[in-house]
Amino acid sequence: MEEHQEYPVDVLYCGVCSLPPDFCKYGPKGLKRCKPWLMKHVPDMYPNLDELSSEESVEANEEELEAEEQQKELVSIKILKRTKRKATTNVKGLGEFGIRLKPACKYLRGKFACGVSVGKGVDSDTIIIQGNKKLDIIQVIVEKYGEFISEDDFVFEEK
C-alpha cells in the first residue's frame, strides 16, 4: 500500500548553488565548487568525494577557487565587425567590479555620442557600444569608475 508522506517536507539545499545536494553536479557552478560544502554537511551523499582527507581537500579546493576567481576578474574588450566598415565594441565583465551597467551605459552614451546598450540573454553582463572605441574606452571607464577598477583589469580579446 501507499505510505502517507507528512507535509511540509524538509529539504536540504546546498549552501553554494542553492540546489538539493542530489542535483549539485548539474548546477551552474558544478560539483567542484559545491564539494567542500557537501563534504561538511552531507558526507554520506557523495562517499567518493573523500579522495583526500576532508580538511586537505577543502583547503586545496578553496585555493583552486581563489586562483580561478582571480583569473576571471578581468574586463574583456572585443571589437566585432558588423557590415563593411561598421563595428561594435563589446565590454564584458564590468558588473563583477560592482559597476551598475545601466548607469554606465548612460554615461558612455553621453561621452561617446553614440548608441550604447546592455546585452540581453547570455550577454546580460556586456555593454555594447556602436563603433570602434578601442582607443578610448579604458581611459573613459577608469576616469569615471577609478575607485572600482584600474587599467590593469582590462584585456583585449581578438575575434
Side-chain angles (χ1 to χ4, degrees):
M1 291 198 190
E2 295 181 23
E3 292 182 27
H4 182 67
Q5 179 117 16
E6 189 89 18
Y7 290 100
V9 178
D10 290 329
V11 178
L12 177 68
Y13 292 100
C14 176
V16 178
C17 68
S18 71
L19 292 173
D22 300 345
F23 297 104
C24 283
K25 58 186 167 189
Y26 305 113
K29 298 183 180 179
L31 190 60
K32 183 178 178 184
R33 288 185 167 245
C34 298
K35 184 176 176 181
W37 190 90
L38 291 171
M39 288 177 60
K40 184 175 180 184
H41 293 90
V42 193
D44 58 325
M45 182 71 68
Y46 290 101
N48 57 350
L49 289 179
D50 292 330
E51 299 158 359
L52 303 171
S53 71
S54 61
E55 292 178 14
E56 292 175 355
S57 177
V58 169
E59 290 174 5
N61 201 11
E62 286 177 357
E63 290 174 5
E64 287 178 14
L65 293 176
E66 287 176 10
E68 192 176 292
E69 288 176 4
Q70 288 176 355
Q71 289 177 348
K72 284 186 177 181
E73 291 185 6
L74 289 177
V75 177
S76 65
I77 298 174
K78 188 186 298 186
I79 307 298
L80 298 176
K81 300 285 184 196
R82 288 186 3 188
T83 59
K84 296 184 183 178
R85 295 184 346 182
K86 299 201 183 257
T88 60
T89 304
N90 291 1
V91 181
K92 185 172 186 170
L94 282 177
E96 294 179 11
F97 289 91
I99 297 172
R100 294 187 1 219
L101 299 181
K102 290 277 187 184
C105 281
K106 192 171 185 178
Y107 174 75
L108 293 172
R109 192 176 300 133
K111 196 71 172 174
F112 290 127
C114 66
V116 180
S117 64
V118 176
K120 294 184 179 176
V122 177
D123 295 331
S124 63
D125 63 339
T126 303
I127 294 179
I128 303 168
I129 306 167
Q130 292 180 357
N132 188 344
K133 308 297 184 201
K134 184 176 181 178
L135 300 176
D136 303 326
I137 188 71
I138 294 176
Q139 182 181 3
V140 170
I141 292 175
V142 171
E143 174 185 308
K144 174 72 175 175
Y145 300 104
E147 66 233 20
F148 299 111
I149 197 166
S150 68
E151 290 184 12
D152 300 332
D153 296 326
F154 291 92
V155 61
F156 285 104
E157 288 186 10
E158 296 297 324
K159 182 181 171 191

